[in-house]
């Protein structure tokens, strides 16, 4: 009987062999004794994130079995990341030469969409594959829409919005290296044109600039849970929710993300309603099938917020 880690990765690789995805979501605590592992697929590299000091021997053997079974995997990279340390190593590689880290290359997010990833340097690769259902929703609903992408990072949401026919996307993030990668990602997809704005700005200090823009049909709000010196968590989230309600045109939607396992979706729903007075409805966007959660209410939360029009 294959190890559960091998079984789950193999099953998920078969679904999207040519596209970025999270192929093992141990942090959802769905798999006993494997909750310190996430595994992501960035064709052709399998990226293993271990939140402990060392990878268990059984897990290492399971990863080797996956590598040997799938010849389209060129290498398996391990990142041990017990906070605050990060150590990277090449576990397995088909190259005869020693593989140097970090790896920076272009990969496929979805049909017709590529992006740059960086593996073995920072904790983040430039992509968050657990957001895959959010990308798909935006692509499906973006036609002829104006989209505001807050905490845009490398602007993956923007690529999906434009691929779905958005007429304008404004991306805002304060990280210079991320906005530089965002520009590259748009160039890579032949999307860096008049439809796109990429602002390197502190979102909390940019209310007047954003408010001067024409109102938006869709706003993506995906802040970090907390970032010392720049984002205080829920108090700043509330401030942005109130501002977003002013940036939004009537009939528009806010896609609000929260990655905090201490808060359930029901509590998130309640807190949003207490923050914004004119909420019409809040629905939960389901995560992709590969994101298995023992307690789905506590995993990554994607809320679709609709507001009452002023005349209602």
């Amino acid at each position: 009987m294959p190890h559960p880690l091998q079984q789950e990765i193999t099953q998920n690789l078969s679904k999207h062999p040519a596209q970025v995805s999270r192929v093992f979501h141990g942090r959802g605590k769905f798999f006993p004794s494997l909750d310190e592992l996430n595994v992501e697929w960035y064709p052709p590299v399998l990226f293993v994130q271990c939140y402990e000091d060392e990878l268990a021997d059984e897990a290492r053997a399971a990863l080797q079995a996956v590598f040997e079974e799938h010849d389209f995997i060129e290498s398996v990279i391990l990142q041990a990341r017990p906070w605050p340390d990060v150590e990277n190593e090449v576990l397995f590689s088909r190259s005869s030469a020693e593989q140097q880290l970090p790896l920076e290359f272009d990969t496929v997010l979805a049909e017709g969409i590529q992006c740059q990833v960086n593996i073995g340097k920072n904790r983040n690769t430039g992509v968050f594959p657990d957001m895959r259902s959010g990308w798909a929703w935006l692509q499906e609903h973006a036609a002829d829409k104006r989209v505001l992408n807050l905490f845009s990072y490398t602007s993956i949401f923007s690529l999906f919005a434009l691929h779905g026919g958005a007429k304008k996307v404004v991306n805002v993030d304060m990280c210079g290296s991320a906005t530089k990668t965002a520009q590259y990602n748009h160039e890579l997809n032949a999307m860096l044109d008049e439809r796109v704005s990429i602002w390197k700005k502190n979102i909390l200090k940019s209310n007047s600039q954003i408010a001067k823009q024409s109102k938006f049909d869709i706003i993506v709000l995906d802040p970090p849970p907390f970032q010392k010196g720049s984002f205080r968590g829920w108090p700043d989230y509330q401030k942005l929710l109130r501002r977003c309600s002013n940036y939004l045109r009537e009939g528009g939607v806010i896609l609000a993300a929260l990655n905090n396992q201490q808060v359930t979706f029901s509590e998130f729903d309640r807190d949003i309603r207490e923050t914004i007075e004119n909420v019409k409805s809040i629905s939960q966007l389901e995560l992709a099938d590969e994101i298995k959660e023992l307690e789905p209410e506590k995993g990554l939360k994607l809320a679709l917020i609709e507001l009452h029009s002023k005349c209602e």
Side-chain angles (χ1 to χ4, degrees):
M1 185 75 176
H3 189 278
L5 178 60
Q6 178 186 352
Q7 200 168 21
E8 179 72 4
I9 293 174
T10 296
Q11 179 180 330
N12 287 325
L13 280 174
S14 70
K15 296 176 184 176
H16 305 285
Q19 298 177 9
V20 168
S21 64
R22 179 165 291 177
V23 291
F24 187 82
H25 184 63
R27 300 292 278 174
K29 301 182 180 179
F30 188 87
F31 300 92
S33 78
L34 293 170
D35 57 350
E36 294 303 317
L37 284 179
N38 281 339
V39 183
E40 297 176 345
W41 172 231
Y42 299 97
V45 176
L46 203 63
F47 182 48
V48 182
Q49 301 161 332
C50 179
Y51 291 80
E52 294 182 332
D53 291 318
E54 294 184 0
L55 185 67
D57 290 342
E58 284 190 358
R60 185 180 293 262
L63 291 165
Q64 183 172 1
V66 170
F67 176 69
E68 293 174 352
E69 182 182 354
H70 301 91
D71 58 10
F72 55 80
I73 301 175
E74 290 188 5
S75 58
V76 180
I77 309 300
L78 171 66
Q79 183 178 87
R81 51 196 298 181
W83 186 263
D85 300 321
V86 177
E87 292 188 11
N88 299 281
E89 67 172 297
V90 180
L91 283 185
F92 314 108
S93 174
R94 301 196 190 280
S95 173
S96 56
E98 183 178 351
Q99 198 164 28
Q100 298 297 317
L101 297 178
L103 302 178
E104 187 174 271
F105 58 95
D106 301 335
T107 190
V108 177
L109 281 168
E111 186 175 353
I113 308 177
Q114 299 180 72
C115 73
Q116 183 184 84
V117 295
N118 190 304
I119 294 177
K121 182 179 180 181
N122 303 315
R123 287 177 174 269
N124 298 325
T125 63
V127 184
F128 295 95
D130 53 346
M131 277 288 185
R132 198 165 65 80
S133 65
W135 304 337
W137 178 90
L138 184 57
Q139 180 175 332
E140 184 180 346
H141 293 84
D144 297 320
K145 299 293 198 302
R146 287 177 50 81
V147 179
L148 175 62
N149 185 18
L150 297 178
F151 299 94
S152 55
Y153 197 44
T154 58
S155 295
I156 302 302
F157 271 108
S158 180
L159 303 179
F160 281 89
L162 293 164
H163 196 65
K167 64 182 179 183
K168 180 67 179 179
V169 184
V170 176
N171 300 281
V172 191
D173 199 284
M174 69 183 297
C175 176
S177 60
T179 54
K180 184 177 179 180
T181 302
Q183 181 168 332
Y184 175 85
N185 285 338
H186 286 83
E187 290 175 338
L188 180 64
N189 292 278
M191 293 175 176
L192 192 62
D193 52 36
E194 69 281 354
R195 298 172 298 166
V196 181
S197 295
I198 301 172
W199 295 358
K200 180 185 175 296
K201 293 182 180 293
N202 183 324
I203 293 165
L204 289 163
K205 298 179 180 179
S206 303
N207 184 46
S208 60
Q209 296 99 314
I210 298 173
K212 289 176 183 176
Q213 301 288 305
S214 298
K215 289 188 180 286
F216 295 91
D217 302 284
I218 299 173
I219 299 175
V220 178
L221 179 57
D222 182 22
F226 178 84
Q227 201 165 58
K228 188 175 180 180
S230 61
F231 193 78
R232 299 175 300 154
W234 185 243
D236 283 342
Y237 204 126
Q238 287 180 300
K239 182 184 295 184
L240 288 173
L241 279 171
R242 295 187 189 103
R243 289 180 182 178
C244 285
S245 67
N246 295 322
Y247 304 151
L248 199 68
R249 74 157 182 84
E250 292 185 4
V253 178
I254 302 171
L255 171 56
L258 181 68
N259 200 351
N260 182 342
Q261 292 192 340
Q262 306 306 312
V263 179
T264 66
F265 187 86
S266 297
E267 291 167 337
F268 188 37
D269 180 302
R270 177 203 65 203
D271 293 343
I272 293 169
R273 293 177 188 274
E274 290 178 354
T275 302
I276 309 175
E277 295 180 355
N278 58 330
V279 171
K280 181 178 182 180
S281 69
I282 300 176
S283 57
Q284 183 172 10
L285 183 61
E286 295 297 324
L287 302 180
D289 291 343
E290 65 269 17
I291 310 299
K292 293 184 172 67
E293 294 280 353
L294 182 62
E295 298 178 272
E297 277 262 308
K298 291 185 177 180
L300 172 64
K301 288 158 277 290
L302 299 176
L304 299 172
I305 308 168
E306 295 184 73
L307 306 181
H308 287 291
S309 65
K310 293 179 181 178
C311 60
E312 288 184 89

